[in-house]
Amino acid sequence: MTVRTRIAPSPTGDPHVGTAYIALFNLCFARQHGGQFILRIEDTDRVRSTAESEQMILDSLRWLGLEWDEGPDVGGPHGPYRQSERGDIYAEYARQLIDAGHAFKCYRTSEELDDLREARKAAGMHLALKPADLALPSDEQERREREGWPHVVRMKVPTTGTCLVEDMLRDTIEVDWAQVDAQILLKSDGMPTYHLANVVDDHLMGITHVLRGEEWINSAPKHQLLYEYFGWQMPVLCHMPLLRNPDKSKLSKRKNPTSINYYRRMGFLPQAVTNYLGRMGWSMPDEREKFSLDEMMTHFDIQRVSLGGPVFDLEKLTWLNGLYIREDLDDKAFLKALLEWAFNEEYVGQILPQVRTRVETLSQVAPLAGHFFSGLPEIEEGDFDSVKLGREELVKLLQFLVWRFEIAPAWHKEVLLGEVKSLAAHFDLKMKDFLAPVFIAITGSAASTSVMDAMAILGSDMTRARLRHAIEVLGGVSKKQAKRFEKEYRELA
Ligand code: GLU
């Protein structure tokens, strides 16, 4: 048997370090067994999936040196590797399940579903809806079918008993069937849900081992049942521990930069980031902290993964990155890294229009444009003294901007300007006054190049990181404040 593993990201945002972490372990597992590693794009959520996000995922994984054997961009014998291009396949398999009596068309309206759930709740029962709960009287079912009501396809699930799922790293996982609902497989728009598409594709693509984040454990019983219904052998499952913040909470962009773009922009070396991700819950047999991807592949052993939540610690990563710069880069390689990072035509070219009108000699460029080549600016509380806003108002302004930017549909100057304008109106401030503290947070000084352009050029991650940094410098947001802010922000939205 050839080992085949995969990473199956959904292209719905920034390329997450968690995706790279799971990709790395899948790649190492495959290579260690002389197998193949596949990249599949799970873009069945047509509203949230974007082509830009997909491109960023491919770019950032490649930047980290995590190469795949088959995928949407390199092709392969099991394509297409984008689920949005495989719609007919899922519809066919859903039909097979219906014909075999393992799935059914469900014509329930969303109001009826709410009522059903309410009724269960009132009766103190588990909220999982079962096929029997969802069934309509047969004449009503026929009527809705005849009249072409919108419907979904759901899988049948047992009502009682326990489902046992094996996992490479864990004891047998036990789930009561009572908790598992009649999962939707095909949505009313004909698109499959994650569950159906994932199982069908893993099978058709010959995946033998599924290494994925532990947040998917709850899906495992449904997947196992689908494999049984189809009469297919299920891949071996392995649920990896989730990455955590230093305070042990789940790694989230609210506390830590989670986008690979941020680490790239911050000037981390890809080999250091990959090395550090390899340290997440795993260690080399000799426990050394610095190792290359090749070394990791050679010595990989999944049983050395420990389940205690691995902490993604920026300080540790920064330390490791320093080792790489000092020990691995000779002057030539150092120069190459710098050129690739920011001192290249493409990036510097974006900055020239920002400085051209503001300098009289070339030697004035570097001091003026320094913020385009730095990480978090060295600012302190006193730098905001010139801003005529109370402390709470000031912090709130920055926090609201971070939240708005988190959900900005695209990162263009016009989009950012729209966000800034609407918030300035909310705070009843002139644009100039609204932008004054933003200016300091982003450029680190009170006079520099245009802040709107700077944010557009620096990108979403670095911009948000600098705004968050300014909030910290100003004393942060207390729990009480956070509550107030969130309430006001919700009303604003
Ligand atoms: N599309 C899922 C994700 O975004 C894949 C989960 C899995 O590996 O099964 O992570």
Side-chain angles (χ1 to χ4, degrees):
M1 173 190 76
T2 309
V3 166
R4 284 170 61 86
T5 63
R6 50 56 167 190
I7 181 83
S10 299
T12 56
D14 294 330
H16 200 280
V17 284
T19 304
Y21 153 69
I22 299 293
L24 171 64
F25 280 74
N26 274 285
L27 173 66
C28 287
F29 187 85
R31 290 290 178 263
Q32 176 221 355
H33 291 93
Q36 289 134 15
F37 170 57
I38 285 92
L39 189 146
R40 176 175 76 230
I41 293 292
E42 300 210 327
D43 56 351
T44 53
D45 183 340
R46 299 310 295 147
V47 179
R48 293 177 59 228
S49 299
T50 66
E52 294 82 49
S53 173
E54 175 183 321
Q55 194 55 49
M56 286 196 291
I57 293 172
L58 302 188
D59 287 347
S60 54
L61 293 179
R62 203 158 264 143
W63 177 68
L64 290 170
L66 309 175
E67 295 283 342
W68 45 97
D69 303 298
E70 300 166 27
D73 55 339
V74 294
H78 302 277
Y81 292 90
R82 218 175 262 122
Q83 288 186 330
S84 58
E85 293 165 19
R86 300 171 63 83
D88 298 346
I89 302 177
Y90 311 121
E92 168 57 23
Y93 282 103
R95 201 186 50 74
Q96 276 185 26
L97 288 178
I98 296 175
D99 291 349
H102 297 311
F104 59 100
K105 291 183 184 171
C106 176
Y107 286 90
R108 288 289 191 175
T109 64
S110 52
E111 294 79 40
E112 286 172 342
L113 292 173
D114 288 344
D115 291 346
L116 284 169
R117 287 198 193 94
E118 276 307 314
R120 290 185 72 89
K121 206 166 159 187
M125 291 156 85
H126 212 282
L127 290 189
L129 291 176
K130 298 290 181 179
D133 304 311
L134 295 158
L136 287 163
S138 61
D139 51 342
E140 182 60 12
Q141 173 87 9
E142 275 161 30
R143 182 176 77 86
R144 293 187 185 188
E145 204 159 343
R146 205 172 49 241
E147 292 173 4
W149 287 38
H151 67 279
V152 299
V153 175
R154 292 176 182 269
M155 70 188 283
K156 293 198 179 158
V157 284
T159 42
T160 55
T162 317
C163 172
L164 303 178
V165 182
E166 298 303 327
D167 182 290
M168 267 199 278
L169 292 176
R170 296 159 198 265
D171 295 334
T172 307
I173 301 164
E174 291 191 24
V175 183
D176 277 343
W177 277 122
Q179 297 177 17
V180 180
D181 58 356
Q183 174 64 48
I184 297 180
L185 299 176
L186 273 192
K187 296 180 267 190
S188 55
D189 63 1
M191 269 291 190
T193 56
Y194 155 70
H195 305 278
L196 178 66
N198 190 270
V199 164
V200 166
D201 285 349
D202 279 347
H203 173 73
L204 295 180
M205 295 182 181
I207 302 302
T208 59
H209 295 75
V210 168
L211 281 62
R212 64 181 170 199
E214 86 189 281
E215 72 266 38
W216 302 102
I217 284 185
N218 286 340
S219 304
K222 297 173 194 175
H223 295 186
Q224 182 162 297
L225 189 56
L226 284 174
Y227 280 101
E228 275 171 40
Y229 284 165
F230 283 123
W232 297 337
Q233 171 152 9
M234 182 165 80
V236 179
L237 295 185
C238 175
H239 291 95
M240 299 285 294
L242 285 184
L243 301 185
R244 308 208 162 256
N245 295 308
D247 69 3
K248 284 282 175 182
S249 58
K250 183 180 154 201
L251 190 70
S252 74
K253 63 178 169 191
R254 297 237 152 155
K255 294 207 173 143
N256 238 329
T258 53
S259 161
I260 299 164
N261 290 342
Y262 172 80
Y263 294 93
R264 193 167 176 178
R265 172 64 57 126
M266 198 63 181
F268 285 90
L269 302 176
Q271 57 272 43
V273 178
T274 303
N275 181 165
Y276 189 61
L277 289 174
R279 299 270 304 130
M280 295 293 100
W282 191 81
S283 57
M284 284 292 251
D286 63 3
E287 301 283 335
R288 94 187 101 119
E289 300 208 56
K290 185 164 169 254
F291 48 85
S292 68
L293 178 56
D294 279 343
E295 288 170 322
M296 180 167 173
M297 287 183 203
T298 309
H299 295 281
F300 191 70
D301 174 2
I302 191 76
Q303 293 307 330
R304 289 187 63 82
V305 169
S306 92
L307 291 177
V311 171
F312 189 87
D313 182 353
L314 238 141
E315 271 179 37
K316 207 75 206 281
L317 169 61
T318 309
W319 165 81
L320 186 64
N321 200 63
L323 282 192
Y324 271 90
I325 290 186
R326 291 191 299 277
E327 295 175 2
D328 285 32
L329 301 187
D330 58 16
D331 286 352
K332 212 168 146 212
F334 196 7
L335 177 61
K336 186 163 173 272
L338 270 173
L339 293 176
E340 272 170 17
W341 171 61
F343 293 101
N344 51 61
E345 274 192 30
E346 200 222 325
Y347 188 63
V348 175
Q350 293 181 63
I351 292 158
L352 297 184
Q354 303 301 317
V355 294
R356 182 188 298 285
T357 54
R358 293 179 171 88
V359 296
E360 291 174 312
T361 63
L362 299 183
S363 57
Q364 288 168 348
V365 171
L368 186 63
H371 57 284
F372 286 109
F373 301 91
S374 54
L376 303 180
E378 283 181 29
I379 45 175
E380 41 189 75
E381 219 183 317
D383 293 331
F384 291 89
D385 284 351
S386 57
V387 176
K388 288 179 191 46
L389 284 174
R391 163 76 70 84
E392 168 144 344
E393 200 67 358
L394 176 56
V395 169
K396 187 164 76 183
L397 181 157
L398 296 170
Q399 181 63 70
F400 277 26
L401 197 57
V402 172
W403 285 339
R404 276 292 175 96
F405 282 170
E406 270 174 13
I407 52 165
W411 200 258
H412 303 305
K413 192 178 163 189
E414 293 70 50
V415 175
L416 308 186
L417 206 55
E419 301 294 352
V420 165
K421 273 191 184 146
S422 90
L423 279 185
H426 174 75
F427 282 88
D428 201 14
L429 289 171
K430 290 205 194 86
M431 273 287 269
K432 194 170 128 275
D433 297 328
F434 182 91
L435 283 177
V438 180
F439 205 102
I440 300 166
I442 298 296
T443 70
S445 73
S448 185
T449 60
S450 143
V451 66
M452 292 307 304
D453 287 301
M455 292 193 290
I457 293 171
L458 286 167
S460 164
D461 302 282
M462 183 56 89
T463 298
R464 283 184 285 123
R466 288 189 187 177
L467 293 171
R468 270 202 308 266
H469 176 62
I471 294 173
E472 288 311 312
V473 165
L474 287 162
V477 180
S478 70
K479 281 220 167 93
K480 260 197 189 149
Q481 275 176 328
K483 277 230 171 82
R484 279 203 300 276
F485 289 2
E486 273 166 27
K487 184 162 175 281
E488 184 177 330
Y489 183 77
R490 267 199 307 275
E491 283 161 9
L492 160 76

